[in-house]
Amino acid sequence: MMKIGLALGIDIGGTFTKFGFVDKEGNIFEEASLPTNAKDGVDVFLVRLYETIDRALVGLKDHAELKGIGIGVPNGNYYKGTVEYPPNLAWGAITPLAALLRQQYDVPTFLTNDANAAALGEMKFGIAKTMKDFVLITLGTGLGSGIVVNGKLVYGADGFAGELGHVNVNPNGRLCGCGKKGCLETYASATGIKRTVSKLMADMTVESDLRDIPYNQLTGNMITEAALQGDKIALAAFEYTGRILGLKLADTVAHLSPEAIILFGGLTKAGAWLFDPIQKHMEENLFPIFKNKVKLLTSGLEGKNSAVLGASALFWHELEKETM
Ligand SMILES: [Zn+2]
């Protein structure tokens, strides 16, 4: 009997690590997750990860073959296969994570940051299947991005290209987790819109249910829900967020001339309340030759296990590069 070839896609986040075994068409055969326990050292983490993966492998062994591994992880260096100074993990300076997994499972292993993996997932299994030039923006706790040019992910000289979350909006603006002031992600992300809501509550006098929620308990989802109910503060916050993001995306278009910009993450559930201001302010600020050409889209993988699909897509993408 022919065995099905599967890629193991692993997404390592600050809170949870998810993985799944995915075939070339994007069907997920087994999936599981475990708490990352960000305070654990990487050795302790890997023991737990291997145990959980091995349990999932038992059910697959008879009819499937593990071909390779793709990993999406914060500060993942694609060229070196290392995780370097991850912001939310107590792993120390540099972890040769790809080499460790390769040793454990004896298959080719690749890693990159989570937003790059998401872009590859979109190209292999999502809305960008027919595209060769696009930018994927993830609006989560921070703002991540993956840039695809001529069918290839852009890694840059050191493997870290595409950090749009840290382009500058205002040199005297909000303090960012990276130490700079006024980075895009301090405005356009779940955390950023929360900061905006807080500022608008101080500046505006309108009623809002959001006023009853303590700052530490306020989430991007709550703001999205409030906007969908017509809450004035939430709507103003989405307008503000969309204006800043649209302005900076106009710069991105000038650099790359993408066919589309794809937005991903919980905030996109606000739909037109988010997309309309982005589109308006992007178009207003575009260099004329780019006007009315760039599509603004929402992810084709929302609601699916997109992180795992993206990580597995990294492996399948590498395999295709070899056979091209
Ligand atoms: Zn920053």
Side-chain angles (χ1 to χ4, degrees):
M1 188 181 74
M2 264 281 276
K3 288 193 174 186
I4 313 162
L6 297 178
L8 170 58
I10 307 173
D11 175 70
I12 302 173
T15 314
F16 283 103
T17 293
K18 298 175 190 168
F19 66 84
F21 295 90
V22 183
D23 73 7
K24 257 187 191 160
E25 277 73 49
N27 303 301
I28 302 179
F29 283 75
E30 282 279 339
E31 56 191 309
S33 73
L34 60 153
T36 304
N37 294 351
K39 289 184 179 129
D40 280 356
V42 68
D43 297 353
V44 178
F45 167 74
L46 284 178
V47 169
R48 287 193 298 114
L49 178 66
Y50 296 156
E51 276 173 13
T52 321
I53 290 174
D54 292 345
R55 264 202 303 277
L57 262 175
V58 171
L60 288 174
K61 266 190 198 142
D62 294 341
H63 57 280
E65 183 191 354
L66 181 62
K67 292 282 191 191
I69 301 173
I71 307 168
V73 59
N75 288 22
N77 185 323
Y78 166 77
Y79 292 124
K80 295 181 180 161
T82 49
V83 183
E84 306 187 7
Y85 304 94
N88 303 312
L89 302 171
W91 287 10
I94 292 174
T95 302
L97 190 65
L100 292 169
L101 270 286
R102 198 177 300 126
Q103 232 165 44
Q104 183 73 16
Y105 292 102
D106 199 24
V107 288
T109 302
F110 303 91
L111 68 76
T112 187
N113 77 44
D114 34 354
N116 282 346
L120 288 172
E122 217 60 66
M123 183 160 64
K124 193 100 189 67
F125 308 126
I127 202 167
K129 268 184 191 167
T130 59
M131 292 182 200
K132 291 189 119 183
D133 297 271
F134 70 93
V135 178
L136 177 117
I137 306 276
T138 62
L139 299 169
T141 313
L143 184 153
S145 59
I147 297 169
V148 172
V149 171
N150 199 19
K152 288 198 179 121
L153 199 71
V154 174
Y155 290 106
D158 64 357
F160 291 116
E163 284 293 347
L164 294 195
H166 302 278
V167 300
N168 198 270
V169 173
N170 171 6
N172 298 310
R174 297 175 181 173
L175 190 62
C176 180
C178 75
K180 298 197 304 160
K181 273 185 178 172
C183 290
L184 180 58
E185 77 171 22
T186 68
Y187 301 90
S189 65
T191 321
I193 198 166
K194 200 175 132 172
R195 291 168 87 165
T196 300
V197 161
S198 169
K199 185 172 183 311
L200 290 172
M201 286 198 289
D203 291 348
M204 295 166 73
T205 55
V206 291
E207 301 268 312
S208 166
D209 289 346
L210 296 174
R211 292 188 190 276
D212 299 329
I213 305 167
Y215 187 77
N216 286 337
Q217 287 169 29
L218 186 62
T219 63
N221 274 339
M222 289 176 191
I223 300 165
T224 305
E225 281 302 314
L228 294 172
Q229 312 275 323
D231 183 283
K232 289 211 166 57
I233 298 262
L235 293 180
F238 272 101
E239 164 65 29
Y240 184 83
T241 306
R243 175 157 63 81
I244 290 176
L245 188 52
L247 180 71
K248 296 317 283 186
L249 288 180
D251 292 352
T252 300
V253 171
H255 289 129
L256 299 167
S257 179
E259 175 182 344
I261 291 169
I262 303 166
L263 300 182
F264 179 85
L267 291 182
T268 62
K269 291 198 196 97
W273 296 118
L274 176 69
F275 282 77
D276 287 355
I278 296 175
Q279 184 104 50
K280 173 170 174 270
H281 293 283
M282 182 175 84
E283 288 294 338
E284 273 175 16
N285 289 284
L286 280 176
F287 183 54
I289 49 170
F290 297 121
K291 279 188 192 288
N292 303 310
K293 287 181 182 168
V294 185
K295 286 176 272 195
L296 194 61
L297 303 170
T298 182
S299 163
L301 298 176
E302 207 80 68
K304 297 184 182 168
N305 197 339
S306 51
V308 162
L309 288 172
S312 71
L314 173 62
F315 171 72
W316 292 123
H317 185 64
E318 291 297 322
L319 199 69
E320 279 168 13
K321 275 206 276 191
E322 266 172 35
T323 53
M324 260 191 310

